Amino acid sequence: MKLTILGCYAATPRTLTNPTSQVLEIKNRLFLIDCGEGTQVQLRKNKIKFSKINHIFISHLHGDHLYGLIGTISTFSLLGRTTDLHVYGPKGIKELILLQLKLTESWTTYSLFFHELESKESEVIFEDQKVVVKTIPLKHRVYTNGFLFQEKPGDRKLNVEAVQQYNIHTAYYQKIKGGGDVTLDNGTVIENKKLSFDPIPSMSYAFCSDTVYNEAIIPIIENVDVLYHESTFLESEASLAAKTLHSTAKEAARIALKANAKQLILGHYSTRYDGIERFKEEAESIFPNVLLGDDGVSFEF
Amino acid sequence: MKLTILGCYAATPRTLTNPTSQVLEIKNRLFLIDCGEGTQVQLRKNKIKFSKINHIFISHLHGDHLYGLIGTISTFSLLGRTTDLHVYGPKGIKELILLQLKLTESWTTYSLFFHELESKESEVIFEDQKVVVKTIPLKHRVYTNGFLFQEKPGDRKLNVEAVQQYNIHTAYYQKIKGGGDVTLDNGTVIENKKLSFDPIPSMSYAFCSDTVYNEAIIPIIENVDVLYHESTFLESEASLAAKTLHSTAKEAARIALKANAKQLILGHYSTRYDGIERFKEEAESIFPNVLLGDDGVSFEF
């Protein structure tokens, strides 16, 4: 699982910082999460192949998470894309993109599917053989979802020595990998756990931005491997965070702790501060495993 | 008169090149012309004060001239702007911006006025004491206007020696600057040209992008001081230029020559070419005074 932060600063794009966008590579799928202005250039700078992105998830319709979407969709067309593109985001996103395409008289060269979200409960919005994506309802000034990306558990690993010892025919191997027991010709049942090893643990990633401190998300993201949680402010601006429905670094850490996350990544920093090291210090006073998100930084898990 | 090119490459923003946007400073007014994605960052990089921009002119609704507008409008709000902002562009631009503001539930902190354009004839769309702006109807795949910015002729310059010689009272000075003759107490009429010098010549700038080669614009831009004319292609792609309703560098030069422009600036280069020097060479084979527009370059006239 690899996460590339294209942008993780709040509000407006600036000379050296970019609004929210990130790419999650999980089980060889590339998911684009949020799409602030300049995302397509950040994709280029980070050498991410446009053609590998088939799913774009938009948390909410604030500009710093959205305004790069129409440009990205248009550029995909200019490059002659033919593969389907799926966009997941709050109701209204379809009208917005279609109006822009209509006014610019430029249709896409590929099929564009919108999956508009309205539910206030967590729901599965994407599922294929290897990955499931669920929404994480967040509390912000407009309708907002985080997204939980989960690898499905893979096959169990065959215990080659054991299956040979029991002289089990290869025809049974797939059944064993799927967790099934095997009955030998003499009627003896061999339990699966004697014939296979546990699969490689499946990874999960939760993206939570933008949101006020909200313990209601904890049951949804419990035990997540990697939690990206917005930390717009430091503790000194805690009341501003509450007022604007954003979080502080300490609050992000408190969510990570209570949700038993393995790793916390901070981001969505207000640009009022000189540097971001203090976000890490404040979060680490609550939760030990803190990484600082930053534009152009990649993390592998 | 100072022109700063924020971006002058066609189609999509890229790592090192930006779509169309430029700032014209004329008579201490700052006009933003077109607004491709990334314009607000280019304004920052070029140290242009957001607060000094009160008028934005959009030639047409293709993304590479438009997609940075909503972000620019939003950022002006986030920075607490209170001064009126006027946007001039094709019909539809108001609906597009208002829908985005509505969906993001973020209204502007300032009054935002739209001046939607539909006319196929050149028309005055802005006028104050010192500057007039007219449309230049262009031929492109969608409804498109170029813009002609003209300084109004200033006051005539007082011939101090002459007015003293005729012993003319200071009360007449404003009349003389305005071109009026003066009648002395003895009834003698002193012609204005004996009492004043011609004003500093007024400057004009024509922005023409995007357009196919179109001689119909020549009467509108005749004798312009500086003509920016798109040159998406080189001569080798002349048929592609005709097909996509763009121009070649030679065609831009031919318009400059026929319109008796003093200076031609090229831009809106297709990114298919290595470097832009050949655009200058091809244009100079037709017209002598050619400048290459490039991102971040300023010209003073």
Side-chain angles (χ1 to χ4, degrees), chain A residues 107-219:
Chain A
W107 303 102
T108 54
T109 54
Y110 53 90
S111 295
L112 179 58
F113 298 93
F114 292 93
H115 306 265
E116 294 200 310
L117 308 176
E118 303 186 72
S119 174
K120 288 173 180 173
E121 308 291 325
S122 175
E123 58 179 343
V124 171
I125 55 173
F126 170 86
E127 182 166 10
D128 69 6
Q129 282 188 308
K130 297 197 171 176
V131 179
V132 179
V133 184
K134 292 175 190 156
T135 57
I136 307 167
L138 300 176
K139 264 197 205 167
H140 193 44
R141 301 194 302 278
V142 294
Y143 175 73
T144 305
N145 287 296
F147 301 105
L148 177 65
F149 299 82
Q150 294 174 299
E151 293 180 6
K152 287 186 181 174
D155 283 346
R156 297 183 64 78
K157 271 186 72 102
L158 204 66
N159 181 338
V160 178
E161 212 169 292
V163 294
Q164 286 175 345
Q165 186 193 319
Y166 288 107
N167 206 18
I168 292 172
H169 193 270
T170 53
Y172 288 97
Y173 286 6
Q174 200 50 46
K175 187 182 180 190
I176 296 167
K177 287 180 185 172
D181 301 334
V182 175
T183 307
L184 301 183
D185 291 348
N186 64 11
T188 316
V189 175
I190 313 291
E191 285 184 357
N192 183 281
K193 66 180 175 183
K194 287 186 180 166
L195 300 173
S196 69
F197 303 110
D198 285 344
I200 297 164
S202 52
M203 297 286 286
S204 57
Y205 171 68
F207 170 86
C208 294
S209 184
D210 296 353
T211 186
V212 73
Y213 179 78
N214 178 19
E215 295 191 357
I217 68 173
I218 290 170

Side-chain angles (χ1 to χ4, degrees), chain A:
Chain A
M1 191 169 76
K2 182 180 178 185
L3 180 72
T4 302
I5 310 278
L6 303 177
C8 66
Y9 287 79
T12 71
R14 293 155 62 93
T15 308
L16 297 175
T17 65
N18 296 276
T20 300
S21 187
Q22 43 186 256
V23 175
L24 179 71
E25 187 177 346
I26 182 170
K27 290 281 185 188
N28 282 319
R29 284 134 184 83
L30 229 58
F31 297 114
L32 181 63
I33 308 168
D34 279 351
C35 198
E37 185 173 347
T39 293
Q40 58 175 311
V41 173
Q42 284 296 93
L43 285 169
R44 286 187 195 268
K45 283 187 182 167
N46 288 278
K47 304 199 188 309
I48 289 163
K49 279 201 175 167
F50 290 2
S51 59
K52 285 194 71 184
I53 295 168
N54 298 325
H55 302 274
I56 302 179
F57 297 85
I58 302 292
S59 62
H60 65 302
L61 300 184
H62 278 163
D64 55 337
H65 298 251
L66 172 70
Y67 287 162
L69 181 60
I70 180 62
T72 301
I73 284 172
S74 301
T75 292
F76 284 3
S77 265
L78 285 169
L79 298 178
R81 178 190 180 103
T82 54
T83 319
D84 294 351
L85 181 70
H86 295 265
V87 175
Y88 307 77
K91 192 167 168 56
I93 199 165
K94 181 177 177 177
E95 182 188 3
L96 183 67
I97 296 299
L98 292 190
L99 176 63
Q100 291 183 84
L101 292 174
K102 189 187 108 187
L103 285 174
T104 60
E105 294 182 25
S106 53
W107 303 102
T108 54
T109 54
Y110 53 90
S111 295
L112 179 58
F113 298 93
F114 292 93
H115 306 265
E116 294 200 310
L117 308 176
E118 303 186 72
S119 174
K120 288 173 180 173
E121 308 291 325
S122 175
E123 58 179 343
V124 171
I125 55 173
F126 170 86
E127 182 166 10
D128 69 6
Q129 282 188 308
K130 297 197 171 176
V131 179
V132 179
V133 184
K134 292 175 190 156
T135 57
I136 307 167
L138 300 176
K139 264 197 205 167
H140 193 44
R141 301 194 302 278
V142 294
Y143 175 73
T144 305
N145 287 296
F147 301 105
L148 177 65
F149 299 82
Q150 294 174 299
E151 293 180 6
K152 287 186 181 174
D155 283 346
R156 297 183 64 78
K157 271 186 72 102
L158 204 66
N159 181 338
V160 178
E161 212 169 292
V163 294
Q164 286 175 345
Q165 186 193 319
Y166 288 107
N167 206 18
I168 292 172
H169 193 270
T170 53
Y172 288 97
Y173 286 6
Q174 200 50 46
K175 187 182 180 190
I176 296 167
K177 287 180 185 172
D181 301 334
V182 175
T183 307
L184 301 183
D185 291 348
N186 64 11
T188 316
V189 175
I190 313 291
E191 285 184 357
N192 183 281
K193 66 180 175 183
K194 287 186 180 166
L195 300 173
S196 69
F197 303 110
D198 285 344
I200 297 164
S202 52
M203 297 286 286
S204 57
Y205 171 68
F207 170 86
C208 294
S209 184
D210 296 353
T211 186
V212 73
Y213 179 78
N214 178 19
E215 295 191 357
I217 68 173
I218 290 170
I220 305 167
I221 64 171
E222 207 157 26
N223 301 319
V224 72
D225 290 286
V226 184
L227 168 64
Y228 175 92
H229 193 291
E230 74 126 289
S231 57
T232 307
F233 296 109
L234 292 172
E235 205 52 23
S236 46
E237 279 70 44
S239 64
L240 187 58
K243 191 179 151 201
T244 57
L245 300 193
H246 282 298
S247 305
T248 65
K250 275 193 181 178
E251 287 170 335
R254 211 164 283 131
I255 294 290
L257 185 73
K258 293 194 177 193
N260 192 35
K262 291 193 188 60
Q263 185 75 58
L264 170 65
I265 301 177
L266 297 177
H268 202 265
Y269 315 110
S270 164
T271 52
R272 74 186 55 212
Y273 305 108
D274 292 333
I276 55 175
E277 267 304 316
R278 282 176 58 209
F279 286 87
K280 191 164 190 272
E281 289 163 22
E282 292 198 358
E284 279 176 341
S285 71
I286 307 277
F287 179 82
N289 303 321
V290 179
L291 292 168
L292 280 175
D294 210 350
D295 299 6
V297 170
S298 287
F299 302 104
E300 296 201 41
F301 303 99

Side-chain angles (χ1 to χ4, degrees), chain B residues 3 13 22 28 66 69 72 83 94 115 120 147 156 160 163 178 189 201 209 247-248 264 291 297 301:
Chain B
L3 180 73
Q22 43 185 255
N28 283 319
L66 172 70
L69 181 59
T72 301
T83 320
K94 182 177 178 178
H115 306 265
K120 287 175 180 172
F147 302 104
R156 296 185 62 80
V160 179
V163 293
V189 175
S209 183
S247 303
T248 65
L264 171 66
L291 292 169
V297 170
F301 303 100

